[in-house]
Amino acid sequence: MLKKNQRLTSHSAFVATYRQKRVVSDEIFVLYGGKNNEEQNYPTRVGFVVSKKIHKRATKRNRIKRLARESYRNLLKNGQIPQAQGFTSLIFLANEGALD
């Protein structure tokens, strides 16, 4: 599990990240990036979103979020995401391909 200071928790933080309009997408996720982080010691905060359009059952949506969080945590632990540290916030929005 990600630490509390590494997670986006408030609605206003999500809205502020969406307003930046820095978007990258593929068949599994859409990635929204917040503004650039000038301070290198401040951790990047991450949020994961899976809408009801993806699956109607909350257990399936929560499973997708758990797997995505764990993948992000492992990549962060191994140092394979150095470019993510340049942003204050990231939001991963799941597409329909995330179910597979």
Side-chain angles (χ1 to χ4, degrees), residues 39-59:
E39 299 178 31
Q40 297 299 328
N41 57 358
Y42 185 76
T44 301
R45 295 171 54 203
V46 183
F48 297 91
V49 178
V50 181
S51 70
K52 284 187 180 180
K53 289 181 181 179
I54 303 301
H55 203 282
K56 66 179 184 176
R57 293 189 177 254
T59 55

Side-chain angles (χ1 to χ4, degrees), residues 46-86:
V46 183
F48 297 91
V49 178
V50 181
S51 70
K52 284 187 180 180
K53 289 181 181 179
I54 303 301
H55 203 282
K56 66 179 184 176
R57 293 189 177 254
T59 55
K60 295 284 186 179
R61 295 193 309 267
N62 290 338
R63 179 167 170 75
I64 293 169
K65 287 190 277 188
R66 278 196 315 269
L67 291 173
R69 271 190 227 114
E70 185 64 19
S71 297
Y72 180 80
R73 189 188 66 79
N74 284 333
L75 290 172
L76 198 62
K77 180 180 174 183
N78 295 334
Q80 296 176 354
I81 313 179
Q83 296 174 350
Q85 300 306 320

